[in-house]
Amino acid sequence: MTTRLHYASGACSFVPHAALETIAAATGETFEFAPIRLHKGEQRTPEYLALNPNGQVPLLVVDDRPLSQIVAICEYLASRHPQCGLLPADPWLRAQQLSMLAWMNNTVHPTFTHFFMPAKFTDDPAAQASIKAQAAVQYRGHLERIQGWLACAQPWLGGERASFVDWYALTLFRWGGFAGIDPATLPEYRAFVGRLADTPAVAAAMAREKIDLETYKPATA
């Protein structure tokens, strides 16, 4: 079986990227990784659109069969490799983690998109500025909610083993710096992702993507 992940550096595709590193370490299975440079428009090439008409990452290709959408990819990887414990076996606990993952993907992620790419929603410069300002406030609220969950981490949001929700939490934390959120104002969250970044799977994925944990740059006078 050939499995290839199309990913973009620092994007939400980091979540299945870290999962594949986890699976590889546990099983010895090898995977292929294909970087997509979003800033160069590689997600809009005819070749890529033939695989994923949405023009997005992540995209998992298994024996030439493409699978898009992060929640579906995560569910597939967890089911394909149950020994890795990427999702709980108990149906209720599994659904709870998928619910958390879906919220990160369908609520927190789009909030950041409104900040990062307001031109997708209006061509009015004043309206874009308003969208960015409102999205930044909302995004901080989402990160504070995730920080609140950390009090119940055992020791991870995913339970005894780091999993999809933890890797997404790290990704969202990184994006907070781009939104002007000082990580020092989220100390528990910052400590959590610091521990997570030291785990072998996350360290390997971050090294391949050439990304740093903190992206915040204080405004200069």
Side-chain angles (χ1 to χ4, degrees), residues 58-208:
L59 180 72
L60 193 72
V61 180
V62 181
D63 290 341
D64 297 323
R65 298 175 300 171
L67 179 65
S68 63
Q69 299 301 319
I70 191 168
V71 176
I73 291 171
C74 291
E75 168 62 30
Y76 168 78
L77 292 176
S79 298
R80 178 73 178 79
H81 303 277
Q83 72 275 31
C84 294
L86 295 174
L87 285 173
D90 177 82
W92 180 256
L93 296 178
R94 190 183 190 95
Q96 287 292 304
Q97 280 199 31
L98 286 172
S99 176
M100 185 184 296
L101 182 69
W103 175 77
M104 290 177 172
N105 184 237
N106 67 28
T107 300
V108 191
H109 188 149
T111 301
F112 180 75
T113 301
H114 279 73
F115 173 86
F116 198 61
M117 294 185 285
K120 290 186 65 174
F121 308 99
T122 178
D123 58 4
D124 183 325
Q128 290 177 16
S130 179
I131 287 172
K132 285 190 67 171
Q134 185 174 19
V137 173
Q138 292 176 339
Y139 194 75
R140 180 179 180 86
H142 296 326
L143 296 190
E144 289 175 346
R145 181 179 181 184
I146 295 171
Q147 179 169 255
W149 290 341
L150 299 178
C152 299
Q154 302 176 14
W156 309 108
L157 290 171
E160 294 182 359
R161 302 181 185 183
S163 189
F164 305 116
V165 290
D166 302 286
W167 303 321
Y168 217 145
L170 182 148
T171 301
L172 299 173
F173 176 85
R174 288 189 69 255
W175 294 354
F178 295 123
I181 299 172
D182 184 348
T185 64
L186 297 166
E188 293 87 359
Y189 201 160
R190 188 184 200 177
F192 174 82
V193 297
R195 286 194 295 113
L196 190 60
D198 286 338
T199 60
V202 170
M206 290 182 69
R208 182 178 288 109

